[in-house]
Amino acid sequence: MTLSSISIPQSKPEASAVDTPALAVVDLWKSYGSNQALKGTSFVLNQGERLALLGPNGAGKTTLIRSMCGRVRPDRGQVFLLGKSIRDPDVLLQMGVIPQDLAIYADLTAKQNLECFGQLHGLRSRKLRERVAWALKWIGLEDRAHELTKGFSGGMKRRVNIACGVLHRPRILLLDEPTVGVDPQSRQRIFDMLDELNEEGTSIVLTTHHLDEAETRSDRIVIVDHGKVVAEGTIDHLIESTIGTQRQVTIQASGLLVAAPPGLEWDSEKGRFVCWVDNVADELPGILERIQKVGGVVLDLEVHQPNLHDVFLHLTGKELRE
Amino acid sequence: MIWTVMQTSWRRLKNNRSELFLTFIVPIVFFSIFAVIFGSRDSASSTPKIKIAISDTSGAALSERAVKLLEEQKSLRISENGRSNGAIKEGASGASTVSRSAAEDLVRRGMVSAAIVFEKSELADSANGLPKIEIMTDSFDQVASQVLAAIVQKAVMTANGELLKEKSDKFVQANAPTPANASMVKSSLPMNLVRTADFDANAGSSGASSPSLSQPPKIDVVDVIGGKKTNPVVAMYAAGIAVMFLLFSATTASGSLLEERENSTLDRLLCSRLTMDQLLLGKWAYLTVIGSIQMTLMFTWGAIVFGIDLLNHLDGFVALTLVTAGAAASFALMLAALCTSRMQLGWVSTIVILSMSALGGSMVPRYLMSETIQKAGLLTFNAWALDGYNKLFWRELPLADLKLELAVLLGCGFLFIVAARLFAVRWERS
C-alpha cells in the first residue's frame, strides 16, 4: 500500500484545500516475538487537524506512536510526514514529540531545558533566545525560568515537557497522554496552549485516557484495538456508524405492572424499563402514557445521549483504561 | 509492630532480585575475586619471582661462582632484557650479565626490580680478591631489595665456602704425600679461620684472585630511583587511586544515558537532529574532559601537598591523562550501553571496577601478586595506566618511553567506544 492508495478523510472544511496529509500511517505491521503489536494499521492526519488516538491498554498505541516518530522500525508498512517517508533524515524535524514521561532534565532550570532541546533542534543564537522567551511566556513560567524543574509541580513540569517539543515550530505535534497526572486547572491550561498551536496551523495527534478530552479537544478520532484501526471519524460519525443516534430512556416505575408497557424492555440488571427514541420531545409523552395505562407510576426517568464512551465500549468491549 | 516492620522489609528485599543479589551474592563474588588475586600461592609457578639483572665486571672467581648460584635460585628471575641489543654478555660460568650502566638502566625503566653489581674493589678487600658488591634497587618494589640483600649475602657466602673447599683440597693434595695423610691434614684445618692467602701461595691457582671471608660480605644497597624523592610512596599511589576513582565517576556519569532511556528523553533526543553517534561522542567527550580535570586536580593537589614533580613531567602527564580519561569514558559508556537499568549499572560497575582495580594494581602493587595474576592484570587498562604514571613520576622517564602505554590505552578507548556503539544499536530503533 502506498500513500496515494489511502483515502484522506476530511474533518474540517478548510482541510480540503490541502491535498497532502500531515501524517499518513500506511499498513503498519510490527511484532515482538509472538506478540503481534500492529496488524496493518492505517490512518491519516490532515494538515491543521486535531486527531485523538484511542485504544485500550495493549491495543498497540505505544508501538504505533513510536513508529510514527521513527523510534520503532515496522516489519511492514510506512509512515509519511507531509508526503515524505520518515526515513528521510530531515523530515522528522517537522515533528514535535511529547512523550508521556517527563522527558526533561530535572536538574536543569526551565530555561536551560528549553535551550538544550532548542539547540538539538537546530535553533541557534538570536532565534534560540526568541523561541525560549516565547516558550516561557507560552507556558506561563517566565518568573520561574531560572528554577530547577525538579522543584516544579506536576502541571508545571508537563508544560515545560510540552514546550521542549514545540520550540522548533513543528508542523505536526505528537502528544502521548500530555495531561496524565495533572490537576483540572493545569489540564485546561495545557489544552489552551495546544489550541493556540493548532490555530497557528500545527496538526496534532493526541493519545489520551480521558474520553472527554478526546470528544472536546479533537476534530477526529481514531480507535485502535488489537493492533488495528477499528473505527475512525468525527464523534458524530462514530456514533452514527456504531450505536446509532437514538437516545436511551431509562425509567424507574412502581405500581402493579402485570406486563411491560408496549415499546419498553425490562432491564433486570438495572431494575428499570429501557427504550430508545429518535426524538425525545415527540416520543416521551407517549411512553409515559403507556406506563400509566398499565398501572405504573413513574418514579424516575433518565435520558442518555450516546457518547464516545458508548462507542468505545461497543467497539472494543472494554473500558478505555482496561 | 517491630515484627511487621521486619516482615515488610524482608518481603521487599525478597521481591527485589537486584538487591537480593547485591546483599548475598556480590560479597561472595568479591571474596572469590580477591581470593584468586591475592591468594593464589599454591603452586611454584605462580609464586612471585624477583626479576633482577646482574652485572659482573670484577673478574673474581667468587663473583663468578656467586652469579652461578644466584641463577640457580628459584625465587629470582634473571632478566633477558638487553640480550637483543648486546647488553648481556655470557660470563665464564655461562651466566648472563650486563654492564653496570645497562643494569642501572634496566632498573630505572622498571624492567627489573633490582640489579646486582659485582665490581673490582678499590679498597683493602681487593687485596684478597673480594669484589665490591652493590645492589641497585627500585624502592617502588619495597620487598625485593630487602629479600635480595639476604639472597646475595647467602650466595656470596656459599660461593666463598665452595671456593675455600676447593682450595683446601688442592692445598692438602699438594702438601700431603699419601691420601691418608692428606685426609688427616684436611680434617684438622679450622676452615673458618683459614687465610686464603696461605692457600693462594701454594695452590698455584689459574690466576683468578681468591676471596677471603670470615664475616658476611658488605653489600651496598643503592636506591637508584626513589633515593632522591622526598615522598616516594605518594607518586606510586596517586596514580592508583586516581585511575580507580576516574572509573567510578565516569561510570556514574554515564548512567545518564540509561536515565534518558528510562524516562523517554532518549526518544526525544533521537527525534531531534541528534544521532546516536553524536550522542555517544558528546557524552564521551564530556566524560573525558571531566576525567582529565579530575586527574589534573588530584595530581596538582599531590604536587602542592605531597611534592609530586608535576611541572617537570607536564607533557607526559597531559598525554597520559587524556588517553586514560578517554579510555575510562569509553569503558563507562560501554558498561552503560550494556546494562538495562541504572541499578544494574550500579552493581555491575562496582564489581567490574573493583576487580579491575585490584587486578590492575590500584589497591595493592602488582609486584605482590603471583606471576599469573600479574600477567592477567595486563588485561585491565588500569594496569597500563598505572604503569604509565609510574614510569612518568616514579621512574621519571620521558614521554617517548610511554609509547606502549599510550598506544594500549588509545586502543582500549577505541575498542570500548566501538563496543558501546554496538550495544547502543538496540536503543536506536527497536
Side-chain angles (χ1 to χ4, degrees):
Chain A
M1 200 184 277
T2 60
L3 177 61
S4 57
S5 67
I6 60 167
S7 61
I8 301 171
Q10 306 294 336
S11 59
K12 282 186 174 179
E14 61 268 30
S16 60
V18 186
D19 291 324
T20 312
L23 174 78
V25 174
V26 184
D27 195 29
L28 280 192
W29 290 77
K30 178 71 186 177
S31 62
Y32 298 101
S34 59
N35 177 30
Q36 194 79 43
L38 296 177
K39 299 175 190 169
T41 312
S42 298
F43 69 89
V44 296
L45 166 75
N46 294 309
Q47 292 198 33
E49 189 179 35
R50 296 173 304 168
L51 186 138
L53 191 62
L54 306 179
N57 287 334
K61 278 199 313 290
T62 303
T63 306
L64 183 57
I65 290 161
R66 287 173 61 80
S67 301
M68 283 193 276
C69 62
R71 300 292 303 122
V72 162
R73 192 191 299 272
D75 300 334
R76 212 165 81 200
Q78 281 200 67
V79 177
F80 296 94
L81 251 67
L82 299 163
K84 290 182 181 172
S85 169
I86 56 160
R87 289 173 195 165
D88 184 334
D90 288 330
V91 79
L92 272 176
L93 295 172
Q94 301 291 337
M95 180 181 267
V97 180
I98 319 291
Q100 183 182 340
D101 296 318
L102 288 167
I104 54 174
Y105 294 107
D107 40 15
L108 291 185
T109 66
K111 188 165 181 267
Q112 286 167 341
N113 265 295
L114 292 166
E115 284 170 349
C116 165
F117 289 105
Q119 282 176 358
L120 290 174
H121 280 97
L123 300 176
R124 293 285 180 276
S125 53
R126 191 179 154 196
K127 185 119 183 163
L128 177 67
R129 284 196 299 277
E130 282 174 3
R131 289 302 290 166
V132 169
W134 167 83
L136 285 168
K137 192 176 175 187
W138 184 58
I139 59 178
L141 290 173
E142 280 170 302
D143 55 335
R144 303 189 71 170
H146 299 286
E147 287 181 33
L148 296 181
T149 53
K150 65 182 170 192
F152 286 3
S153 69
M156 287 156 74
K157 285 178 188 168
R158 287 269 155 208
R159 274 156 27 202
V160 177
N161 194 34
I162 293 171
C164 287
V166 300
L167 274 171
H168 60 296
R169 294 180 187 272
R171 293 179 65 184
I172 300 122
L173 189 59
L174 192 60
L175 299 113
D176 190 6
E177 301 204 33
T179 57
V180 72
V182 299
D183 57 70
Q185 288 91 336
S186 290
R187 270 175 69 186
Q188 183 60 42
R189 177 79 193 237
I190 286 168
F191 278 108
D192 289 346
M193 284 161 50
L194 296 179
D195 286 346
E196 214 176 294
L197 286 178
N198 183 241
E199 280 163 19
E200 290 170 9
T202 307
S203 312
I204 294 173
V205 177
L206 164 81
T207 74
T208 179
H209 272 121
H210 296 282
L211 286 173
D212 59 319
E213 281 179 2
E215 274 195 64
T216 57
R217 300 291 182 168
S218 65
D219 303 314
R220 211 154 51 81
I221 291 162
V222 170
I223 299 175
V224 181
D225 195 20
H226 297 110
K228 285 190 286 194
V229 172
V230 291
E232 65 172 297
T234 60
I235 180 72
D236 292 339
H237 169 76
L238 286 176
I239 290 170
E240 202 172 327
S241 62
T242 54
I243 53 175
T245 53
Q246 285 187 319
R247 280 19 177 198
Q248 188 188 47
V249 180
T250 313
I251 299 165
Q252 188 184 5
S254 64
L256 295 171
L257 296 170
V258 289
L264 276 82
E265 292 170 15
W266 175 252
D267 187 333
S268 56
E269 269 184 41
K270 292 179 182 171
R272 294 175 182 212
F273 292 106
V274 178
C275 67
W276 284 265
V277 297
D278 289 314
N279 190 315
V280 178
D282 291 349
E283 298 177 39
L284 195 58
I287 293 168
L288 297 175
E289 198 180 315
R290 289 201 292 273
I291 293 171
Q292 283 174 344
K293 275 185 181 172
V294 294
V297 178
V298 174
L299 299 175
D300 193 12
L301 184 146
E302 190 185 336
V303 178
H304 175 70
Q305 183 181 3
N307 58 21
L308 189 55
H309 178 261
D310 302 316
V311 173
F312 192 84
L313 208 58
H314 174 81
L315 288 170
T316 66
K318 299 169 192 165
E319 295 284 346
L320 190 54
R321 288 187 181 277
E322 276 180 37
Chain B
M1 286 297 167
I2 294 170
W3 169 246
T4 308
V5 171
M6 281 179 66
Q7 193 183 38
T8 309
S9 301
W10 166 245
R11 281 175 178 168
R12 288 184 66 194
L13 177 67
K14 213 170 65 171
N15 293 337
N16 190 334
R17 284 189 183 179
S18 300
E19 209 176 320
L20 210 59
F21 184 78
L22 273 173
T23 309
F24 298 115
I25 307 297
V26 169
I28 296 171
V29 172
F30 265 107
F31 164 69
S32 306
I33 291 170
F34 278 71
V36 168
I37 293 173
F38 300 116
S40 55
R41 296 273 194 272
D42 53 343
S43 68
S45 63
S46 66
T47 306
K49 291 182 177 180
I50 302 170
K51 206 170 178 184
I52 61 162
I54 299 175
S55 170
D56 181 12
T57 55
S58 68
L62 176 67
S63 60
E64 201 173 286
R65 181 69 61 102
V67 169
K68 205 174 171 185
L69 289 168
L70 287 169
E71 284 198 320
E72 288 166 7
Q73 280 284 332
K74 284 183 180 172
S75 57
L76 299 180
R77 178 186 288 174
I78 315 296
S79 171
E80 293 293 310
N81 284 302
R83 190 178 285 282
S84 57
N85 59 19
I88 289 181
K89 298 164 190 167
E90 295 286 334
S93 62
S96 303
T97 69
V98 296
S99 66
R100 180 193 168 88
S101 60
E104 186 174 341
D105 189 53
L106 287 172
V107 177
R108 283 194 180 282
R109 288 176 181 282
M111 312 298 279
V112 294
S113 297
I116 304 163
V117 179
F118 296 98
E119 283 179 321
K120 272 185 184 166
S121 175
E122 293 168 359
L123 300 175
D125 281 341
S126 64
N128 299 323
L130 190 64
K132 181 187 171 193
I133 307 170
E134 190 176 272
I135 298 178
M136 291 192 283
T137 65
D138 170 5
S139 51
F140 178 74
D141 187 341
Q142 295 166 350
V143 178
S145 58
Q146 293 171 31
V147 173
L148 196 59
I151 290 174
V152 171
Q153 203 167 61
K154 184 190 164 196
V156 172
M157 292 291 279
T158 308
N160 180 57
E162 287 176 6
L163 285 173
L164 281 175
K165 184 174 174 292
E166 285 172 13
K167 284 180 190 302
S168 69
D169 286 348
K170 284 180 185 174
F171 175 79
V172 169
Q173 280 167 4
N175 294 288
T178 63
N181 201 10
S183 176
M184 189 187 73
V185 171
K186 188 181 162 189
S187 61
S188 66
L189 282 170
M191 289 300 291
N192 60 341
L193 295 174
V194 170
R195 296 283 302 176
T196 49
D198 298 336
F199 293 129
D200 287 341
N202 300 289
S205 63
S206 59
S209 57
S210 302
S212 168
L213 275 178
S214 56
Q215 288 179 346
K218 186 188 173 214
I219 298 171
D220 293 327
V221 179
V222 180
D223 186 354
V224 294
I225 300 174
K228 289 175 283 180
K229 290 184 169 61
T230 50
N231 199 346
V233 183
V234 173
M236 195 167 76
Y237 285 107
I241 299 293
V243 172
M244 186 166 72
F245 277 91
L246 180 68
L247 276 169
F248 271 121
S249 57
T251 314
T252 306
S254 72
S256 66
L257 195 62
L258 287 164
E259 189 187 340
E260 282 161 352
R261 199 190 68 80
E262 283 164 9
N263 68 11
S264 300
T265 310
L266 189 64
D267 281 347
R268 170 173 268 174
L269 292 173
L270 294 177
C271 285
S272 70
R273 288 175 189 263
L274 190 72
T275 63
M276 183 58 91
D277 291 339
Q278 291 170 326
L279 178 66
L280 283 178
L281 282 176
K283 286 188 181 288
W284 176 83
Y286 165 75
L287 292 174
T288 302
V289 170
I290 291 293
S292 300
I293 293 171
Q294 189 184 2
M295 297 286 276
T296 306
L297 282 174
M298 179 142 178
F299 275 87
T300 305
W301 176 255
I304 295 167
V305 180
F306 300 106
I308 294 175
D309 189 8
L310 182 61
L311 280 178
N312 288 323
H313 302 98
L314 215 51
D315 53 348
F317 173 75
V318 170
L320 204 52
T321 298
L322 280 175
V323 293
T324 305
S330 301
F331 182 75
L333 286 171
M334 183 185 74
L335 281 186
L338 185 65
C339 293
T340 53
S341 67
R342 284 198 97 163
M343 182 181 271
Q344 191 186 31
L345 176 67
W347 61 258
V348 167
S349 62
T350 304
I351 294 173
V352 172
I353 293 171
L354 285 181
S355 304
M356 275 174 55
S357 300
L359 207 57
S362 280
M363 294 176 177
V364 177
R366 284 175 57 228
Y367 61 78
L368 290 177
M369 301 172 196
S370 70
E371 295 266 309
T372 317
I373 298 296
Q374 280 188 41
K375 280 180 191 162
L378 291 175
L379 294 173
T380 69
F381 85 88
N382 300 49
W384 292 95
L386 261 61
D387 282 353
Y389 280 109
N390 285 329
K391 275 187 175 179
L392 195 65
F393 290 111
W394 181 251
R395 304 186 192 292
E396 300 185 322
L397 297 177
L399 177 62
D401 282 301
L402 304 178
K403 272 185 279 189
L404 179 62
E405 285 77 15
L406 290 172
V408 170
L409 288 168
L410 266 177
C412 285
F414 179 74
L415 284 177
F416 293 150
I417 196 72
V418 168
R421 181 64 188 87
L422 292 174
F423 288 131
V425 165
R426 71 185 198 278
W427 291 337
E428 274 184 297
R429 276 188 172 200
S430 51

